[in-house]
Amino acid sequence: MAEARNEVFRIVGGHPALELVNTVAPRVVGGADDEHDYIPDAGRLLAWSRRTGLLDEAEAAAVGAAWGSAPGAAEQALHATVEIREAVYTVLSRRDQSAETAAALELLTLRWSAAAARSMLVPGGAVAELMVGTSPASMIPDRLVSAAVELLRTVDLRQLRSCPIEEGGCGWLFLDRSRNGSRRWCSMEDCGTRAKIRKLSERRRSASTD
């Protein structure tokens, strides 16, 4: 599905962990031959984190500096991020008690435990708030695994949708928070519009051959 490869990354998931899952297009269990990865390197990951609001400008600068001063830190952060991404997708796409799901949850547990060890309570909120990602070198994966754990613990599966691959969608996951729960596409302006155009073209071809 080369047509799903937009140059500008779309933010449609409704949750940071889903935006991470959606950095692959099309999103198909087992992968696809024409799969496109929006975060193929550390530089793209840093830019994506800034665009999605995971980091603010000052934090992004600190992460870039930390990666530049510590050999291998950028690649380690990218590797951890991809592991988290695929583990979350495995859990959400399977929703079962298979060995694959268990392994994915174990990986997330380990990543989350490491992130928790680098987190701290600071004044704020009612009394205190949790600051995740206190180490710039690991700030991105730490925040993403924390978001992933929060999503998996609290997600309303009745709201979780997948942009329909079988109808020309991209397979991206999103939370349907529409009033009547009728959202079908990750983006009506993108996959939804292409599907409508495709159906119209098919009807016209069919009419011309009758």
Short mmCIF file of all heavy atoms in Angstrom, two decimals, residues 72-142:
data_model
loop_
_atom_site.label_atom_id
_atom_site.label_comp_id
_atom_site.label_asym_id
_atom_site.label_seq_id
_atom_site.Cartn_x
_atom_site.Cartn_y
_atom_site.Cartn_z
N GLY A 72 26.44 5.48 20.90
CA GLY A 72 25.50 4.37 20.98
C GLY A 72 24.20 4.69 21.66
O GLY A 72 23.25 3.91 21.58
N ALA A 73 24.10 5.86 22.33
CA ALA A 73 22.89 6.19 23.07
C ALA A 73 21.68 6.35 22.15
O ALA A 73 20.57 5.91 22.46
CB ALA A 73 23.09 7.46 23.89
N ALA A 74 21.91 6.98 21.01
CA ALA A 74 20.80 7.20 20.07
C ALA A 74 20.26 5.87 19.55
O ALA A 74 19.04 5.66 19.48
CB ALA A 74 21.26 8.08 18.92
N GLU A 75 21.16 4.98 19.17
CA GLU A 75 20.74 3.69 18.65
C GLU A 75 20.06 2.85 19.73
O GLU A 75 19.11 2.12 19.45
CB GLU A 75 21.92 2.93 18.05
CG GLU A 75 22.42 3.51 16.74
CD GLU A 75 21.31 3.63 15.70
OE1 GLU A 75 20.58 2.63 15.49
OE2 GLU A 75 21.16 4.71 15.11
N GLN A 76 20.53 2.95 20.95
CA GLN A 76 19.89 2.24 22.06
C GLN A 76 18.47 2.74 22.27
O GLN A 76 17.53 1.95 22.49
CB GLN A 76 20.72 2.41 23.33
CG GLN A 76 22.03 1.65 23.32
CD GLN A 76 22.89 1.97 24.54
OE1 GLN A 76 22.44 2.64 25.47
NE2 GLN A 76 24.12 1.48 24.54
N ALA A 77 18.29 4.06 22.21
CA ALA A 77 16.95 4.63 22.38
C ALA A 77 16.03 4.21 21.24
O ALA A 77 14.86 3.88 21.47
CB ALA A 77 17.04 6.15 22.45
N LEU A 78 16.55 4.19 20.02
CA LEU A 78 15.76 3.76 18.87
C LEU A 78 15.37 2.30 19.00
O LEU A 78 14.20 1.93 18.77
CB LEU A 78 16.54 3.98 17.58
CG LEU A 78 15.85 3.51 16.30
CD1 LEU A 78 14.57 4.30 16.05
CD2 LEU A 78 16.80 3.65 15.10
N HIS A 79 16.32 1.47 19.38
CA HIS A 79 16.05 0.03 19.54
C HIS A 79 14.98 -0.20 20.61
O HIS A 79 14.04 -0.99 20.41
CB HIS A 79 17.34 -0.69 19.94
CG HIS A 79 17.15 -2.15 20.23
ND1 HIS A 79 16.90 -3.09 19.25
CD2 HIS A 79 17.15 -2.82 21.41
CE1 HIS A 79 16.76 -4.28 19.80
NE2 HIS A 79 16.91 -4.15 21.11
N ALA A 80 15.10 0.49 21.73
CA ALA A 80 14.11 0.34 22.81
C ALA A 80 12.74 0.80 22.35
O ALA A 80 11.72 0.16 22.64
CB ALA A 80 14.55 1.14 24.04
N THR A 81 12.70 1.89 21.61
CA THR A 81 11.43 2.43 21.12
C THR A 81 10.74 1.45 20.18
O THR A 81 9.53 1.22 20.28
CB THR A 81 11.65 3.77 20.40
OG1 THR A 81 12.15 4.72 21.34
CG2 THR A 81 10.37 4.29 19.79
N VAL A 82 11.50 0.87 19.27
CA VAL A 82 10.92 -0.10 18.32
C VAL A 82 10.43 -1.34 19.06
O VAL A 82 9.36 -1.88 18.74
CB VAL A 82 11.94 -0.47 17.24
CG1 VAL A 82 11.43 -1.63 16.38
CG2 VAL A 82 12.24 0.74 16.35
N GLU A 83 11.17 -1.78 20.05
CA GLU A 83 10.71 -2.92 20.86
C GLU A 83 9.38 -2.62 21.54
O GLU A 83 8.46 -3.44 21.54
CB GLU A 83 11.76 -3.28 21.92
CG GLU A 83 12.92 -4.10 21.39
CD GLU A 83 13.73 -4.72 22.52
OE1 GLU A 83 13.67 -4.19 23.67
OE2 GLU A 83 14.41 -5.72 22.27
N ILE A 84 9.29 -1.43 22.12
CA ILE A 84 8.05 -1.02 22.78
C ILE A 84 6.91 -0.95 21.77
O ILE A 84 5.80 -1.44 22.02
CB ILE A 84 8.25 0.33 23.48
CG1 ILE A 84 9.25 0.20 24.63
CG2 ILE A 84 6.91 0.90 23.99
CD1 ILE A 84 9.81 1.53 25.11
N ARG A 85 7.17 -0.37 20.63
CA ARG A 85 6.16 -0.23 19.58
C ARG A 85 5.58 -1.58 19.18
O ARG A 85 4.36 -1.77 19.13
CB ARG A 85 6.78 0.45 18.36
CG ARG A 85 5.83 0.59 17.18
CD ARG A 85 6.51 1.23 15.99
NE ARG A 85 7.46 0.34 15.35
CZ ARG A 85 8.25 0.69 14.32
NH1 ARG A 85 8.21 1.94 13.86
NH2 ARG A 85 9.08 -0.17 13.77
N GLU A 86 6.47 -2.53 18.88
CA GLU A 86 6.00 -3.82 18.40
C GLU A 86 5.32 -4.62 19.51
O GLU A 86 4.38 -5.38 19.25
CB GLU A 86 7.16 -4.60 17.79
CG GLU A 86 7.77 -3.91 16.57
CD GLU A 86 6.72 -3.49 15.55
OE1 GLU A 86 5.87 -4.33 15.18
OE2 GLU A 86 6.74 -2.31 15.13
N ALA A 87 5.78 -4.45 20.74
CA ALA A 87 5.15 -5.15 21.86
C ALA A 87 3.72 -4.65 22.07
O ALA A 87 2.79 -5.43 22.29
CB ALA A 87 5.97 -4.98 23.13
N VAL A 88 3.54 -3.34 22.02
CA VAL A 88 2.20 -2.77 22.19
C VAL A 88 1.28 -3.25 21.08
O VAL A 88 0.13 -3.64 21.32
CB VAL A 88 2.25 -1.23 22.22
CG1 VAL A 88 0.84 -0.65 22.23
CG2 VAL A 88 3.02 -0.74 23.43
N TYR A 89 1.78 -3.26 19.85
CA TYR A 89 0.95 -3.71 18.73
C TYR A 89 0.57 -5.18 18.87
O TYR A 89 -0.56 -5.58 18.60
CB TYR A 89 1.67 -3.48 17.40
CG TYR A 89 0.80 -3.85 16.21
CD1 TYR A 89 -0.40 -3.21 15.98
CD2 TYR A 89 1.20 -4.87 15.33
CE1 TYR A 89 -1.20 -3.55 14.90
CE2 TYR A 89 0.40 -5.22 14.26
CZ TYR A 89 -0.79 -4.55 14.04
OH TYR A 89 -1.60 -4.91 12.97
N THR A 90 1.52 -5.99 19.32
CA THR A 90 1.23 -7.41 19.52
C THR A 90 0.10 -7.59 20.53
O THR A 90 -0.84 -8.34 20.30
CB THR A 90 2.49 -8.15 20.02
OG1 THR A 90 3.48 -8.13 18.99
CG2 THR A 90 2.17 -9.59 20.38
N VAL A 91 0.20 -6.89 21.64
CA VAL A 91 -0.82 -7.03 22.68
C VAL A 91 -2.19 -6.56 22.18
O VAL A 91 -3.21 -7.24 22.36
CB VAL A 91 -0.42 -6.25 23.95
CG1 VAL A 91 -1.54 -6.29 24.98
CG2 VAL A 91 0.86 -6.84 24.54
N LEU A 92 -2.22 -5.41 21.53
CA LEU A 92 -3.50 -4.85 21.09
C LEU A 92 -4.11 -5.60 19.92
O LEU A 92 -5.34 -5.68 19.80
CB LEU A 92 -3.33 -3.37 20.73
CG LEU A 92 -3.03 -2.42 21.88
CD1 LEU A 92 -2.84 -1.01 21.36
CD2 LEU A 92 -4.15 -2.46 22.93
N SER A 93 -3.28 -6.13 19.04
CA SER A 93 -3.83 -6.83 17.87
C SER A 93 -4.25 -8.25 18.20
O SER A 93 -5.18 -8.79 17.58
CB SER A 93 -2.80 -6.84 16.73
OG SER A 93 -1.61 -7.51 17.12
N ARG A 94 -3.60 -8.86 19.18
CA ARG A 94 -3.95 -10.24 19.55
C ARG A 94 -5.04 -10.30 20.60
O ARG A 94 -6.00 -11.07 20.50
CB ARG A 94 -2.71 -10.99 20.04
CG ARG A 94 -1.72 -11.30 18.93
CD ARG A 94 -0.52 -12.05 19.47
NE ARG A 94 0.40 -12.44 18.41
CZ ARG A 94 0.27 -13.53 17.68
NH1 ARG A 94 -0.72 -14.36 17.92
NH2 ARG A 94 1.13 -13.80 16.72
N ARG A 95 -4.88 -9.53 21.66
CA ARG A 95 -5.85 -9.50 22.77
C ARG A 95 -6.15 -10.93 23.26
O ARG A 95 -7.31 -11.31 23.43
CB ARG A 95 -7.15 -8.83 22.34
CG ARG A 95 -6.99 -7.43 21.80
CD ARG A 95 -8.34 -6.81 21.56
NE ARG A 95 -8.26 -5.73 20.61
CZ ARG A 95 -9.31 -5.05 20.15
NH1 ARG A 95 -10.53 -5.36 20.57
NH2 ARG A 95 -9.17 -4.09 19.28
N ASP A 96 -5.12 -11.72 23.45
CA ASP A 96 -5.32 -13.10 23.88
C ASP A 96 -4.28 -13.46 24.94
O ASP A 96 -3.56 -12.59 25.43
CB ASP A 96 -5.25 -14.06 22.69
CG ASP A 96 -3.90 -13.98 21.95
OD1 ASP A 96 -2.91 -13.48 22.54
OD2 ASP A 96 -3.82 -14.45 20.80
N GLN A 97 -4.18 -14.73 25.26
CA GLN A 97 -3.23 -15.20 26.25
C GLN A 97 -2.18 -16.10 25.59
O GLN A 97 -1.71 -17.06 26.19
CB GLN A 97 -3.96 -15.94 27.36
CG GLN A 97 -4.94 -15.07 28.13
CD GLN A 97 -5.60 -15.79 29.29
OE1 GLN A 97 -5.17 -16.86 29.70
NE2 GLN A 97 -6.65 -15.20 29.83
N SER A 98 -1.80 -15.75 24.38
CA SER A 98 -0.82 -16.54 23.64
C SER A 98 0.58 -16.30 24.18
O SER A 98 0.83 -15.36 24.95
CB SER A 98 -0.86 -16.18 22.16
OG SER A 98 -0.46 -14.82 21.97
N ALA A 99 1.51 -17.13 23.73
CA ALA A 99 2.91 -16.96 24.13
C ALA A 99 3.46 -15.64 23.61
O ALA A 99 4.28 -14.99 24.28
CB ALA A 99 3.73 -18.13 23.59
N GLU A 100 3.01 -15.21 22.44
CA GLU A 100 3.48 -13.95 21.86
C GLU A 100 3.04 -12.77 22.72
O GLU A 100 3.81 -11.84 22.98
CB GLU A 100 2.96 -13.79 20.43
CG GLU A 100 3.57 -14.74 19.43
CD GLU A 100 2.90 -16.12 19.42
OE1 GLU A 100 1.97 -16.33 20.25
OE2 GLU A 100 3.30 -16.96 18.61
N THR A 101 1.80 -12.82 23.17
CA THR A 101 1.29 -11.74 24.03
C THR A 101 2.02 -11.72 25.36
O THR A 101 2.40 -10.66 25.87
CB THR A 101 -0.22 -11.92 24.27
OG1 THR A 101 -0.91 -11.83 23.02
CG2 THR A 101 -0.75 -10.85 25.21
N ALA A 102 2.25 -12.89 25.92
CA ALA A 102 2.96 -12.98 27.20
C ALA A 102 4.37 -12.42 27.08
O ALA A 102 4.85 -11.70 27.96
CB ALA A 102 3.00 -14.42 27.68
N ALA A 103 5.05 -12.75 25.98
CA ALA A 103 6.41 -12.25 25.76
C ALA A 103 6.41 -10.74 25.59
O ALA A 103 7.30 -10.04 26.09
CB ALA A 103 7.01 -12.93 24.53
N ALA A 104 5.41 -10.22 24.88
CA ALA A 104 5.31 -8.77 24.68
C ALA A 104 5.08 -8.06 26.01
O ALA A 104 5.68 -7.02 26.29
CB ALA A 104 4.19 -8.46 23.69
N LEU A 105 4.21 -8.61 26.83
CA LEU A 105 3.94 -8.00 28.14
C LEU A 105 5.17 -8.07 29.04
O LEU A 105 5.43 -7.13 29.82
CB LEU A 105 2.76 -8.70 28.80
CG LEU A 105 1.39 -8.42 28.15
CD1 LEU A 105 0.32 -9.30 28.79
CD2 LEU A 105 1.02 -6.94 28.28
N GLU A 106 5.92 -9.16 28.95
CA GLU A 106 7.14 -9.27 29.75
C GLU A 106 8.15 -8.20 29.33
O GLU A 106 8.79 -7.57 30.18
CB GLU A 106 7.75 -10.66 29.60
CG GLU A 106 9.01 -10.85 30.43
CD GLU A 106 9.59 -12.25 30.30
OE1 GLU A 106 9.09 -13.04 29.47
OE2 GLU A 106 10.55 -12.56 31.03
N LEU A 107 8.30 -8.01 28.03
CA LEU A 107 9.22 -6.98 27.54
C LEU A 107 8.79 -5.60 28.03
O LEU A 107 9.62 -4.81 28.50
CB LEU A 107 9.26 -7.01 26.01
CG LEU A 107 10.27 -6.04 25.35
CD1 LEU A 107 10.81 -6.64 24.07
CD2 LEU A 107 9.63 -4.68 25.04
N LEU A 108 7.51 -5.30 27.93
CA LEU A 108 7.02 -4.01 28.40
C LEU A 108 7.23 -3.84 29.90
O LEU A 108 7.56 -2.75 30.37
CB LEU A 108 5.54 -3.85 28.05
CG LEU A 108 5.22 -3.68 26.56
CD1 LEU A 108 3.72 -3.75 26.32
CD2 LEU A 108 5.79 -2.36 26.03
N THR A 109 7.06 -4.92 30.65
CA THR A 109 7.29 -4.87 32.09
C THR A 109 8.74 -4.51 32.40
O THR A 109 9.01 -3.66 33.26
CB THR A 109 6.94 -6.23 32.74
OG1 THR A 109 5.56 -6.52 32.53
CG2 THR A 109 7.23 -6.20 34.24
N LEU A 110 9.66 -5.13 31.69
CA LEU A 110 11.08 -4.86 31.91
C LEU A 110 11.43 -3.43 31.53
O LEU A 110 12.15 -2.74 32.26
CB LEU A 110 11.93 -5.85 31.11
CG LEU A 110 11.86 -7.31 31.56
CD1 LEU A 110 12.63 -8.22 30.60
CD2 LEU A 110 12.42 -7.46 32.98
N ARG A 111 10.91 -2.98 30.40
CA ARG A 111 11.19 -1.61 29.96
C ARG A 111 10.55 -0.60 30.92
O ARG A 111 11.14 0.43 31.24
CB ARG A 111 10.65 -1.39 28.55
CG ARG A 111 11.42 -2.11 27.45
CD ARG A 111 12.76 -1.48 27.23
NE ARG A 111 13.51 -2.10 26.14
CZ ARG A 111 14.79 -1.86 25.90
NH1 ARG A 111 15.45 -0.99 26.65
NH2 ARG A 111 15.42 -2.47 24.90
N TRP A 112 9.35 -0.91 31.39
CA TRP A 112 8.66 -0.02 32.31
C TRP A 112 9.38 0.03 33.66
O TRP A 112 9.50 1.10 34.27
CB TRP A 112 7.22 -0.48 32.49
CG TRP A 112 6.46 0.30 33.51
CD1 TRP A 112 5.94 1.55 33.37
CD2 TRP A 112 6.15 -0.12 34.84
NE1 TRP A 112 5.31 1.94 34.54
CE2 TRP A 112 5.42 0.94 35.45
CE3 TRP A 112 6.41 -1.28 35.56
CZ2 TRP A 112 4.97 0.84 36.77
CZ3 TRP A 112 5.94 -1.36 36.87
CH2 TRP A 112 5.23 -0.30 37.45
N SER A 113 9.88 -1.11 34.13
CA SER A 113 10.61 -1.14 35.40
C SER A 113 11.86 -0.28 35.32
O SER A 113 12.18 0.47 36.27
CB SER A 113 10.99 -2.58 35.75
OG SER A 113 9.85 -3.38 35.95
N ALA A 114 12.57 -0.35 34.19
CA ALA A 114 13.77 0.47 34.01
C ALA A 114 13.41 1.95 33.96
O ALA A 114 14.10 2.80 34.53
CB ALA A 114 14.51 0.05 32.75
N ALA A 115 12.30 2.27 33.26
CA ALA A 115 11.87 3.66 33.19
C ALA A 115 11.46 4.18 34.56
O ALA A 115 11.75 5.33 34.92
CB ALA A 115 10.70 3.79 32.20
N ALA A 116 10.77 3.34 35.35
CA ALA A 116 10.34 3.74 36.68
C ALA A 116 11.53 4.06 37.57
O ALA A 116 11.47 4.98 38.41
CB ALA A 116 9.50 2.64 37.31
N ALA A 117 12.61 3.32 37.39
CA ALA A 117 13.81 3.56 38.19
C ALA A 117 14.46 4.90 37.85
O ALA A 117 15.20 5.46 38.66
CB ALA A 117 14.83 2.43 37.97
N ARG A 118 14.16 5.42 36.66
CA ARG A 118 14.69 6.72 36.25
C ARG A 118 13.66 7.83 36.40
O ARG A 118 13.84 8.94 35.89
CB ARG A 118 15.17 6.64 34.80
CG ARG A 118 16.40 5.78 34.58
CD ARG A 118 16.92 5.88 33.16
NE ARG A 118 16.06 5.16 32.22
CZ ARG A 118 16.26 3.91 31.83
NH1 ARG A 118 17.29 3.22 32.33
NH2 ARG A 118 15.44 3.33 30.97
N SER A 119 12.57 7.56 37.09
CA SER A 119 11.51 8.54 37.30
C SER A 119 11.56 9.05 38.74
O SER A 119 12.21 8.47 39.60
CB SER A 119 10.14 7.91 37.01
OG SER A 119 10.09 7.42 35.68
N MET A 120 10.84 10.15 38.98
CA MET A 120 10.85 10.70 40.33
C MET A 120 9.58 11.50 40.58
O MET A 120 8.93 11.98 39.65
CB MET A 120 12.07 11.59 40.55
CG MET A 120 12.15 12.79 39.62
SD MET A 120 13.69 13.74 39.77
CE MET A 120 13.57 14.30 41.47
N LEU A 121 9.21 11.61 41.85
CA LEU A 121 8.09 12.44 42.24
C LEU A 121 8.57 13.87 42.47
O LEU A 121 9.60 14.09 43.12
CB LEU A 121 7.45 11.90 43.52
CG LEU A 121 6.64 10.61 43.39
CD1 LEU A 121 6.27 10.08 44.76
CD2 LEU A 121 5.39 10.84 42.55
N VAL A 122 7.82 14.83 41.93
CA VAL A 122 8.17 16.24 42.08
C VAL A 122 6.93 16.99 42.55
O VAL A 122 5.80 16.52 42.36
CB VAL A 122 8.69 16.83 40.75
CG1 VAL A 122 9.97 16.14 40.31
CG2 VAL A 122 7.62 16.74 39.66
N PRO A 123 7.09 18.14 43.18
CA PRO A 123 5.91 18.91 43.60
C PRO A 123 5.03 19.26 42.41
O PRO A 123 5.52 19.60 41.33
CB PRO A 123 6.53 20.16 44.23
CG PRO A 123 7.91 19.74 44.63
CD PRO A 123 8.35 18.77 43.58
N GLY A 124 3.72 19.17 42.63
CA GLY A 124 2.80 19.49 41.55
C GLY A 124 1.49 18.75 41.74
O GLY A 124 1.38 17.88 42.60
N GLY A 125 0.50 19.06 40.91
CA GLY A 125 -0.79 18.42 41.03
C GLY A 125 -1.40 18.69 42.39
O GLY A 125 -1.22 19.76 42.97
N ALA A 126 -2.13 17.70 42.93
CA ALA A 126 -2.72 17.86 44.26
C ALA A 126 -1.63 17.97 45.32
O ALA A 126 -1.66 18.84 46.19
CB ALA A 126 -3.63 16.69 44.56
N VAL A 127 -0.63 17.07 45.23
CA VAL A 127 0.50 17.09 46.15
C VAL A 127 1.82 16.90 45.40
O VAL A 127 2.77 17.64 45.58
CB VAL A 127 0.37 15.97 47.22
CG1 VAL A 127 1.59 15.96 48.12
CG2 VAL A 127 -0.91 16.16 48.05
N ALA A 128 1.82 15.89 44.53
CA ALA A 128 3.03 15.60 43.75
C ALA A 128 2.62 14.98 42.43
O ALA A 128 1.50 14.51 42.25
CB ALA A 128 3.94 14.65 44.52
N GLU A 129 3.53 14.99 41.48
CA GLU A 129 3.29 14.35 40.20
C GLU A 129 4.54 13.58 39.79
O GLU A 129 5.65 13.86 40.27
CB GLU A 129 2.90 15.37 39.13
CG GLU A 129 3.91 16.45 38.87
CD GLU A 129 3.39 17.50 37.91
OE1 GLU A 129 2.17 17.78 37.92
OE2 GLU A 129 4.20 18.04 37.14
N LEU A 130 4.34 12.59 38.94
CA LEU A 130 5.43 11.72 38.53
C LEU A 130 6.12 12.29 37.31
O LEU A 130 5.47 12.56 36.29
CB LEU A 130 4.88 10.33 38.22
CG LEU A 130 5.91 9.27 37.82
CD1 LEU A 130 6.84 8.96 38.99
CD2 LEU A 130 5.20 7.99 37.36
N MET A 131 7.42 12.48 37.40
CA MET A 131 8.21 12.92 36.27
C MET A 131 8.90 11.71 35.65
O MET A 131 9.77 11.09 36.28
CB MET A 131 9.26 13.96 36.68
CG MET A 131 10.15 14.41 35.52
SD MET A 131 11.42 15.59 36.03
CE MET A 131 10.41 17.01 36.43
N VAL A 132 8.47 11.34 34.46
CA VAL A 132 9.04 10.19 33.75
C VAL A 132 10.04 10.71 32.72
O VAL A 132 9.77 11.66 32.00
CB VAL A 132 7.94 9.38 33.04
CG1 VAL A 132 8.55 8.22 32.26
CG2 VAL A 132 6.93 8.86 34.05
N GLY A 133 11.18 10.05 32.64
CA GLY A 133 12.18 10.45 31.67
C GLY A 133 13.09 11.53 32.20
O GLY A 133 13.22 12.61 31.62
N THR A 134 13.75 11.25 33.30
CA THR A 134 14.65 12.24 33.89
C THR A 134 16.04 12.18 33.26
O THR A 134 16.83 13.09 33.45
CB THR A 134 14.78 12.00 35.40
OG1 THR A 134 15.24 10.66 35.63
CG2 THR A 134 13.44 12.19 36.10
N SER A 135 16.33 11.09 32.53
CA SER A 135 17.61 10.96 31.84
C SER A 135 17.41 11.26 30.36
O SER A 135 16.70 10.52 29.67
CB SER A 135 18.16 9.54 32.01
OG SER A 135 19.30 9.35 31.19
N PRO A 136 17.99 12.34 29.83
CA PRO A 136 17.76 12.69 28.43
C PRO A 136 18.07 11.57 27.45
O PRO A 136 17.36 11.40 26.45
CB PRO A 136 18.69 13.89 28.21
CG PRO A 136 18.80 14.52 29.56
CD PRO A 136 18.81 13.36 30.52
N ALA A 137 19.09 10.79 27.71
CA ALA A 137 19.48 9.74 26.77
C ALA A 137 18.38 8.72 26.56
O ALA A 137 18.22 8.16 25.47
CB ALA A 137 20.76 9.05 27.25
N SER A 138 17.59 8.45 27.59
CA SER A 138 16.53 7.44 27.52
C SER A 138 15.14 8.05 27.67
O SER A 138 14.17 7.33 27.89
CB SER A 138 16.75 6.37 28.59
OG SER A 138 16.73 6.96 29.89
N MET A 139 15.03 9.35 27.56
CA MET A 139 13.77 10.04 27.83
C MET A 139 12.65 9.57 26.91
O MET A 139 11.52 9.33 27.35
CB MET A 139 13.95 11.55 27.68
CG MET A 139 12.71 12.36 28.04
SD MET A 139 13.01 14.15 27.93
CE MET A 139 14.15 14.40 29.31
N ILE A 140 12.94 9.38 25.63
CA ILE A 140 11.89 9.01 24.67
C ILE A 140 11.33 7.62 24.96
O ILE A 140 10.11 7.48 25.17
CB ILE A 140 12.40 9.13 23.22
CG1 ILE A 140 12.64 10.60 22.88
CG2 ILE A 140 11.40 8.51 22.24
CD1 ILE A 140 13.26 10.83 21.51
N PRO A 141 12.16 6.56 25.00
CA PRO A 141 11.57 5.25 25.30
C PRO A 141 10.96 5.18 26.70
O PRO A 141 9.96 4.48 26.90
CB PRO A 141 12.74 4.28 25.14
CG PRO A 141 13.97 5.11 25.23
CD PRO A 141 13.59 6.44 24.67
N ASP A 142 11.52 5.89 27.67
CA ASP A 142 10.95 5.87 29.02
C ASP A 142 9.53 6.43 29.00
O ASP A 142 8.61 5.86 29.60
CB ASP A 142 11.82 6.68 29.98
CG ASP A 142 13.08 5.92 30.41
OD1 ASP A 142 13.25 4.77 29.99
OD2 ASP A 142 13.88 6.51 31.17
#
